[in-house]
Structures are given as C-alpha cells and as structure tokens.
Amino acid sequence: MTDNALKAMSNGGITPLGYYLDEEQHLQIDEKKAPFVREIFQRYADGEMIKSIIDDMNARGVGITVRMKKKVGKKAYEKSLDYNNVRRMLSNRKYIGEYRFKDIVLENAIPPIIEKDLFEKVQKRIAVNTRAPAIHKAEDLYLLTTHLFCGKCKAMMIGESGKGKSGTVYHYYKCVNAKKGHSCDKKAIAKEKIESAVINAVMKKIMDDTLMEQLSYKLYDLQMQSNSILPALREQLSDVEKGIDNMLDAIQQGIVLESTKKRLSDLENRKKQLEIDIAQEEIKNPLLTREQIEFGLTRFRNLDISTQRGKQTLIDSFVNAIFLFDDYAVVTCNYKDGEEKITFEDIENSELGDYIKNKPEQKCSDLFAFGDPIGTRTRVTAVKGRCLRPLDHGAALLCGKTAPLYSKTKGIIP
C-alpha cells in the first residue's frame, strides 16, 4: 500500500464523485460527473445549505459509484448522495490534486477538478459552520446562525425547536449561555419574527440608491487597493510610453544616435511585454468598473426572498452581526457605518407579525420571546405539600412569561 501511495495509485475505498480509476489504478477526471462536483463546491461557497444541494442532486440522479469486493453476484452500484458524502467531498483534497496516504503527501499527483481559491473558500465556510453550535441540526431552518448574538452576554444565539402537545413545531433562537450554563437570563425569540425583521431591514438598505452608489465607490477603491500588481504594471506602461514619446521628440529634432535607436527599440519591446503582462493579469484578476459594481449591488434587489436560498444569500452578503437586546436589535452590515437599530415596533410589524399584532393582550417587552416550547419541559411544583401544575403554558409561550401555577385550594398563583 505504501508502494501504491508513492505512485499515487488507489489503495481502495470509494472513488470520489467526478473521478474514475484507469487500468493502472490512477484517478482520472470523469468529464460527465466532474461538472456536478464543481457545481456542489460553488453552490456551497455561495452560501447554499448542504441539504438543499443534496435534494437537488438526488432529484437529478447524481450519485456516487460504490464498488463491492469481487464476490459472486456483487457488482458496482450507484448510491444516492447523503449529508456525510457531501460533507466529506467538500473537505477532500483530492479535488485540488493532492494525494494523501498516512504520512505520504503528494502535490499535483491527481488531476484537479476544483481551483484552490474555491476550495479554500469552502474550507473557511466549513470552519465557521463547525464552530457554530448545532448548525447541522438547524442548517436548513435558521438563517441567522453565526450572525445572531445575545445583547446581554454577547454569546451566539442558536436555533432550537420543540413540538407542542398539539403536534405544532415551534422554532426559536436561544442564547448559548442561557441554554447550557444558565449564566444568562436572555429569553428566546421566535425565529420567524427576528428573521423577517432583519430581512426587511436589509432590503430597505438595498433599495436606497444613494447608499448603493456610495458602496460602489468604496468597493471600487477597495478593489484597486487589493490588487497592487495591475496598477503597478499600468504605471510602468505609462512611464515607458512617456519615454517613447521623448525619444520620438529627440528624433524629430535631429538627434539621431545609435544609442537613441537602441533605447527606442528597448522601450518598444518593453511596452509590448507590459501590455502582455497587463492582459494576463486582467484575465487572472479582472477589475470591475464602478458602474459594474453598482449594477451588481442593485441586482440583490431581484433576489427571490420567498426562498431559503434567496434569504440566506441576502443575509450572508450584507449582514455581519446582529445583537439582540430585550426590546430592540442592532444589525451591523458588512461595510463601514452599516448599522441599523430594529425597534420593537419594527419586529412587531415584520412580515410574520399578523397573528401577534392582532392580539394585543399577548404582547410583551421582550420581542415576543418565550420559554421552552410546549412539551419540552413539564413544570410541576409542590407548595406546602400540594402539587401544582401550569395553568396555561401555551399562552405563556406567546407573551414570554413563566406559566402561572394553579392550586385547587388557592386558585391561580402568579
């Protein structure tokens, strides 16, 4: 097996999607399936969730080939993609041409399917998602995971769900410290309310033409600063063109020497080389005009925010962090001075607020926060030997208050 590894030959196992084994047991690109691999990497890098990608790929009949050991009746078969398949695929360094076996690492030993820049972008997103608690459990449900933080203790707020006695599933965000160590008293908040309020706040900014224009100028300047090679080449080209003009002026004035001709020839050759270098750099790292950047920003207005992917793209592109306090939230966007305060009224009037808005008696001052969902905890307390039970936990969920207790002898105990 070590000898195989040194020759970059297969040592068994499942052949990665997008590859096939040739007669010499080397991995070669399967041109029919490699485009699916590139699509999976790009979609994940763009913010789409693994579950959504899997559902689409399986619907299109994309699967991995599983080769059984040579036994009678055992043949290779196609297996549908699942979460573990895709998760391992996104971290598989074979896709950038790297062969690994134990302590043997061979660079460029396998034909690469994925560019290294795209692969590293995917690894960064995986690292963020790995640090976020319970993201796999909530990845297709909770848009604000890794963005939403408790305003009291600054800890991350994570997605939770629970099923009520009627079978209704409740979704909400809860502070990690309040959930695990009980070191924070921040109440949970209904998922739909805070997500809708944040999306509405971001869409309001995107619809601001003045803001989009300002952002386009800032992004253009940032683009020029980040690419130092192209401006330097263009500056050199400008100097060379000035030198050529000076030489031509000297020739027109009758100053024709062997050194003048040689200098002019050298400058002409240098100009040609710089033009080639600039063209190659523009292809490798194309620079956008300020107008192109503004056009790209305004295209976010056309996102279909009725879909999970559209909402996630919007939030990941513009939102840096959200800090949730008792009666307001602060949304910070991915640009300087990009901060907006969402008040209690903003959240109340968000897209999914009709139910609570029409029931004023159920409002509270904690952004419609509530405790654990119905059925996830039974609160039974004994007072002077008498067993007490919650009077109406369901009503308490809607207003964020602890359910009152009921005693046959004392009635309702606040």
Side-chain angles (χ1 to χ4, degrees):
M1 294 180 77
T2 300
D3 187 54
N4 284 347
L6 293 172
K7 298 175 183 177
M9 295 170 59
S10 172
N11 271 324
I14 297 176
T15 302
L17 178 66
Y19 287 107
Y20 70 91
L21 287 174
D22 62 16
E23 294 180 355
E24 297 180 351
Q25 297 299 298
H26 289 108
L27 288 174
Q28 302 294 344
I29 295 178
D30 183 344
E31 297 298 343
K32 292 183 178 179
K33 293 187 176 181
F36 295 117
V37 176
R38 298 186 186 100
E39 182 181 343
I40 289 171
F41 270 82
Q42 189 62 59
R43 287 170 67 172
Y44 185 78
D46 290 342
E48 190 169 351
M49 297 304 178
I50 291 179
K51 184 178 182 301
S52 173
I53 297 172
I54 292 171
D55 291 343
D56 180 49
M57 289 294 165
N58 286 336
R60 293 157 63 184
V62 180
I64 57 174
T65 302
V66 179
R67 300 184 183 279
M68 305 298 293
K69 293 182 179 179
K70 292 183 179 179
K71 295 182 180 179
V72 177
K74 298 286 186 178
K75 296 182 179 180
Y77 66 94
E78 286 286 316
K79 176 185 175 184
S80 297
L81 295 177
D82 57 30
Y83 182 89
N84 292 329
N85 296 147
V86 176
R87 179 63 181 77
R88 284 194 294 267
M89 176 192 301
L90 294 171
S91 301
N92 193 341
R93 301 187 69 84
K94 285 186 175 71
Y95 288 114
I96 56 172
E98 188 176 293
Y99 182 101
R100 286 175 176 261
F101 178 75
K102 295 184 178 180
D103 58 344
I104 299 173
V105 179
L106 304 177
E107 300 284 348
N108 303 317
I110 301 170
I113 294 177
I114 303 299
E115 296 288 337
K116 288 187 176 181
D117 289 345
L118 176 58
F119 187 84
E120 292 305 320
K121 185 177 179 180
V122 166
Q123 303 320 299
K124 289 179 181 178
R125 184 163 185 239
I126 289 174
V128 170
N129 290 351
T130 301
R131 289 194 297 269
I135 190 166
H136 172 41
K137 177 179 70 175
E139 70 163 0
D140 61 333
L141 293 173
Y142 301 94
L143 301 172
L144 304 182
T145 304
T146 74
H147 295 290
L148 185 61
F149 297 88
C150 174
K152 292 187 175 182
C153 68
K154 310 306 179 188
M156 186 178 291
M157 297 189 72
I158 61 174
E160 289 287 327
S161 65
K163 187 177 291 187
K165 292 180 181 178
S166 63
T168 303
V169 178
Y170 296 88
H171 299 281
Y172 56 98
Y173 290 95
K174 192 166 187 177
C175 171
V176 171
N177 288 337
K179 172 181 170 62
K180 294 182 178 179
H182 303 289
S183 57
C184 179
D185 62 355
K186 182 76 186 76
K187 292 184 177 70
I189 183 169
K191 166 188 174 293
E192 291 82 3
K193 301 299 299 183
I194 186 62
E195 288 182 354
S196 297
V198 170
I199 289 170
N200 289 341
V202 174
M203 288 302 297
K204 181 180 177 182
K205 287 183 175 292
I206 292 176
M207 295 300 174
D208 185 340
D209 291 334
T210 302
L211 176 61
M212 292 296 100
E213 184 179 7
Q214 292 173 351
L215 280 178
S216 68
Y217 279 106
K218 291 180 180 179
L219 286 171
Y220 179 77
D221 291 340
L222 184 63
Q223 172 189 235
M224 299 304 293
Q225 294 171 14
S226 62
N227 190 334
S228 58
I229 298 176
L230 197 55
L233 290 173
R234 286 175 173 166
E235 186 177 352
Q236 292 177 39
L237 179 61
S238 177
D239 292 341
V240 168
E241 288 174 340
K242 289 178 182 178
I244 291 174
D245 290 339
N246 292 337
M247 289 295 103
L248 292 176
D249 289 341
I251 292 172
Q252 288 176 353
Q253 294 174 15
I255 306 174
V256 182
L257 304 173
E258 287 297 325
S259 59
T260 304
K261 294 179 180 179
K262 185 177 182 305
R263 176 60 177 161
L264 181 59
S265 177
D266 290 343
L267 287 173
E268 291 286 356
N269 291 333
R270 178 59 178 158
K271 179 183 177 182
K272 291 179 182 178
Q273 184 58 50
L274 283 170
E275 288 173 342
I276 293 172
D277 292 342
I278 289 171
Q280 290 176 340
E281 185 63 26
E282 286 177 338
I283 293 172
K284 183 179 177 182
N285 297 300
L287 291 179
L288 301 175
T289 65
R290 205 278 307 170
E291 290 75 14
Q292 287 173 327
I293 293 174
E294 184 175 1
F295 175 75
L297 286 171
T298 54
R299 288 196 67 185
F300 278 95
R301 297 172 179 174
N302 300 324
L303 275 175
D304 184 2
I305 58 173
S306 66
T307 65
Q308 192 81 357
R309 186 177 183 180
K311 294 175 184 176
Q312 194 71 64
T313 299
L314 184 70
I315 290 171
D316 289 344
S317 299
F318 284 90
V319 177
N320 183 282
I322 307 142
F323 290 93
L324 184 65
F325 297 88
D326 281 349
D327 51 3
Y328 67 93
V330 175
V331 180
T332 57
C333 294
N334 288 321
Y335 56 91
K336 187 178 179 182
D337 302 324
E339 183 173 289
E340 181 163 335
K341 183 176 179 180
I342 302 177
T343 65
F344 176 89
E345 184 179 358
D346 293 329
I347 295 181
E348 177 187 6
N349 295 326
S350 62
E351 183 181 357
L352 303 176
D354 291 339
Y355 178 76
I356 295 178
K357 185 168 61 177
N358 295 331
K359 296 183 179 295
E361 71 278 6
Q362 293 180 342
K363 296 178 184 177
C364 71
S365 62
D366 197 42
L367 303 183
F368 313 117
F370 45 80
D372 295 335
I374 301 171
T376 62
R377 178 180 64 181
T378 303
R379 184 168 182 260
V380 179
T381 309
V383 178
K384 294 183 179 180
R386 290 186 294 275
C387 184
L388 307 177
R389 63 178 178 81
L391 176 66
D392 188 352
H393 200 173
L397 286 174
L398 294 173
C399 67
K401 298 177 181 178
T402 303
L405 299 176
Y406 174 75
S407 168
K408 287 185 178 180
T409 57
K410 290 191 175 184
I412 297 175
I413 301 175

